[in-house]
Amino acid sequence: CLIWWCAAVMAMRAVASALCVAVLCVHVCVGDYSTIAKQIMAEAISSTNFTKIEYMCDTFGHRYVGSVGHYAAIDWMHDTMIEEKFDYVYQQPVDGIINWVRGNEFAEMLWPRPYSMNILGLGNSVGTPHDGIKAEILVVSSWDDLANKSSLARGKIVVYNVPYTVYHDTVQYRAYGASNAAKYGAVAALVRSIASFSLQSPHTGSLNYLPNITQIPSAAITIEDAEMFARFQSRGQRVVLSLFMEAKTYAPISSSNLIAQVNGSSMADQIVLISGHLDSWDVGQGAMDDGGGMFSAWEAVRLLNVLIKSGQIPRPRRSIRAVLWTNEENGARGAKTYNSTYWSDLPNHVVAMESDTGNFDPNGFGFTGPQALLSVVQQAAALLAPIGTGNITSGSTDGLDTDNGMLYPTVPCMTLETNGYYASPPTDLMTALYFFYHHSHADTITALNYDGLRRSVAAYATMSYVIADSPNDLLAGRS
């Protein structure tokens, strides 16, 4: 018994010693990066230059796929990446992109008084007949309200006056409003802009037609007009509108993703991916959505490339890849093409990060993935506390190009999160800054927060570097 007890004690001591070594290793590994992290963050805060994003937005304007500015911007970005001497630059062809063209459009209230409206047709919408549509309106406030008033919808223009709450809930009316109105015989649908604030500014975005339902034209109108129409209806006043839209979908077209990479050392085949999308809607400059996110990823990898090649920091074990997605706004063909092209290599993608929430005031990252990686992410996040970007929200990510079935669940995903995307508190919509500008003419360089962009670059660069250089097995726990 004594021999057994002694053996048991020795075994427990061995386990305890191993645990101590493991804990010490984790602590030392994180400690080892504190100096490098401070250096990366300081460099990002002090040297991030906004010349590129300003030049791109001012020179090429919006980057809607199919526009002259879209292709000119991609060519310029690709040439600039070559000049920046990344280890790898690739312009990845992307085919099969929806070719929706807005054309001319206008809407006017004819009764009870003449009034010219601000509208933006919704992406993928069909156009009106050549002589337009003239009809009375029916205002509804929800799907249930539409169903209750369904007998009144035939021959009408249905107006959805649904106040903004959070994007993922309210956007359903933009996406499916046309088809749901058409089910009851409506001739067109106008949707209150998915926006938290308005100065008579319509906000566009794509719609989805449901199968086997007549396709009717649909456009976004301003918050002010939607509320005015609701007041007219509540007083029993008849409202007649005229709507004209030339919108049309042509044969599919092509574009490109852009990839810029810093190669790793001992584990170069493993990829830490950071990203944003390079396209925009056909209004404004696409500076916030998603020029800021795209720029943050590009600038983070450029900064690391400079620090590594100048010998200021060691080359990380794994490769760090910036991907600038095309066609996020109207089909996500860029992400789908990346998925199919690199399908056999996705198991070697350690994580895919995305920034597409405005970069106003970054506070940390959302994370969806295995515990082995989460532990390293949390340790890296602690290093970001000095710039206020160290919060990690596990089980929460919000990136169309990465975690909405494009790369996840094969690849763990993270999103760079920012104050200004969600209202905080939820009832204070004036704090949801992103949706002041989203998909509108107001999305210009003036909307950017340069301090937030600097900290976004710093957070992206630091997080990606620490993950890329971790000695841990970061592919553990993957299905």
Side-chain angles (χ1 to χ4, degrees):
C1 291
L2 181 60
I3 294 175
W4 175 89
W5 181 82
C6 289
V9 169
M10 292 176 67
M12 285 188 289
R13 285 178 177 173
V15 170
S17 177
L19 288 172
C20 288
V21 168
V23 171
L24 180 61
C25 178
V26 169
H27 175 74
V28 169
C29 288
V30 174
D32 285 346
Y33 293 112
S34 61
T35 299
I36 292 177
K38 289 177 183 176
Q39 185 177 0
I40 293 172
M41 288 187 288
E43 187 71 17
I45 298 299
S46 65
S47 70
T48 293
N49 188 310
F50 301 103
T51 302
K52 286 191 298 191
I53 189 170
E54 291 173 345
Y55 177 86
M56 178 187 71
C57 290
D58 291 341
T59 303
F60 305 113
H62 70 74
R63 299 174 303 284
Y64 183 69
V65 180
S67 68
V68 172
H70 175 83
Y71 299 109
I74 288 178
D75 288 343
W76 171 79
M77 286 187 278
H78 178 263
D79 292 345
T80 303
M81 288 174 173
I82 296 293
E83 292 172 3
E84 291 172 338
K85 300 186 185 305
F86 288 99
D87 294 325
Y88 175 66
V89 174
Y90 179 44
Q91 189 168 337
Q92 181 189 23
V94 177
D95 299 322
I97 295 174
I98 295 171
N99 185 15
W100 180 82
V101 178
R102 177 181 304 283
N104 294 314
E105 56 189 16
F106 62 82
E108 183 179 10
M109 183 169 71
L110 303 176
W111 185 265
R113 62 178 171 88
Y115 167 67
S116 181
M117 299 166 57
N118 292 328
I119 69 166
L120 283 174
L122 298 181
N124 304 328
S125 175
V126 296
T128 62
H130 293 303
D131 55 352
I133 292 172
K134 179 182 175 181
E136 291 185 30
I137 67 168
L138 172 68
V139 181
V140 299
S141 59
S142 66
W143 298 131
D144 288 342
D145 192 27
L146 174 63
N148 291 336
K149 295 174 180 174
S150 59
S151 62
L152 305 175
R154 184 164 298 279
K156 303 284 182 60
I157 296 174
V158 168
V159 175
Y160 290 93
N161 179 37
V162 182
Y164 180 87
T165 52
V166 294
Y167 184 69
H168 296 92
D169 291 342
T170 318
V171 77
Q172 301 303 314
Y173 292 89
R174 188 191 78 201
Y176 302 107
S179 287
N180 282 320
K183 284 193 301 186
Y184 303 117
V187 294
L190 299 177
V191 181
R192 172 176 168 150
S193 286
I194 314 304
S196 54
F197 179 73
S198 175
L199 290 173
Q200 277 288 2
S201 51
H203 297 238
T204 190
S206 59
L207 64 75
N208 300 311
Y209 286 120
L210 298 174
N212 305 316
I213 297 176
T214 300
Q215 295 183 357
I216 61 175
S218 187
I221 63 174
T222 68
I223 292 174
E224 293 89 337
D225 286 351
E227 292 183 344
M228 178 178 68
F229 293 148
R231 292 193 299 271
F232 276 130
Q233 183 168 286
S234 69
R235 292 190 294 260
Q237 291 180 273
R238 175 172 171 262
V239 177
V240 178
L241 301 182
S242 173
L243 175 68
F244 175 78
M245 295 170 57
E246 283 184 336
K248 187 173 181 180
T249 299
Y250 297 90
I253 53 177
S254 301
S255 179
S256 306
N257 293 326
L258 287 176
I259 297 173
Q261 181 168 303
V262 173
N263 291 338
S265 55
S266 60
M267 304 180 190
D269 60 325
Q270 294 186 25
I271 303 296
V272 173
L273 186 153
I274 61 178
S275 69
H277 68 84
L278 60 81
D279 67 314
S280 72
W281 274 105
D282 58 341
V283 292
Q285 294 180 330
M288 183 202 71
D289 182 18
D290 185 31
M294 176 200 73
F295 172 80
S296 297
W298 179 6
E299 183 67 9
V301 177
R302 185 205 64 80
L303 180 148
L304 292 175
N305 190 47
V306 170
L307 292 176
I308 291 165
K309 290 185 175 177
S310 63
Q312 296 181 64
I313 61 175
R315 185 173 292 276
R317 290 174 170 84
R318 298 169 183 83
S319 299
I320 302 174
R321 175 179 294 177
V323 180
L324 312 185
W325 312 103
T326 194
N327 186 229
E328 186 271 353
E329 295 292 6
N330 199 22
R333 285 293 304 165
K336 292 172 183 175
T337 299
Y338 186 93
N339 183 308
S340 60
T341 301
Y342 292 99
W343 178 254
S344 62
D345 195 41
L346 291 186
N348 281 328
H349 282 55
V350 172
V351 67
M353 297 183 243
E354 184 171 354
S355 173
D356 190 13
T357 56
N359 304 98
F360 291 106
D361 180 21
N363 58 56
F365 292 85
F367 175 87
T368 306
Q371 182 61 43
L373 178 58
L374 176 60
S375 297
V376 174
V377 167
Q378 289 172 330
Q379 293 155 19
L383 302 172
L384 295 172
I387 59 170
T389 60
N391 182 62
I392 299 297
T393 306
S394 182
S396 173
T397 49
D398 186 29
L400 175 65
D401 287 312
T402 53
D403 71 345
N404 285 333
M406 307 303 175
L407 301 182
Y408 183 82
T410 305
V411 182
C413 288
M414 297 172 65
T415 50
L416 181 58
E417 298 186 339
T418 181
N419 298 323
Y421 186 78
Y422 293 105
S424 181
T427 55
D428 185 5
L429 295 184
M430 294 303 290
T431 62
L433 294 174
Y434 184 79
F435 294 100
F436 286 24
Y437 310 103
H438 180 248
H439 295 181
S440 78
H441 289 289
D443 184 2
T444 67
I445 286 291
T446 303
L448 295 180
N449 180 332
Y450 281 6
D451 173 69
L453 273 177
R454 289 186 187 95
R455 292 189 295 116
S456 296
V457 172
Y460 245 166
T462 305
M463 178 62 74
S464 62
Y465 183 90
V466 173
I467 294 174
D469 197 51
S470 171
N472 297 8
D473 179 4
L474 300 185
L475 301 180
R478 299 269 288 271
S479 57

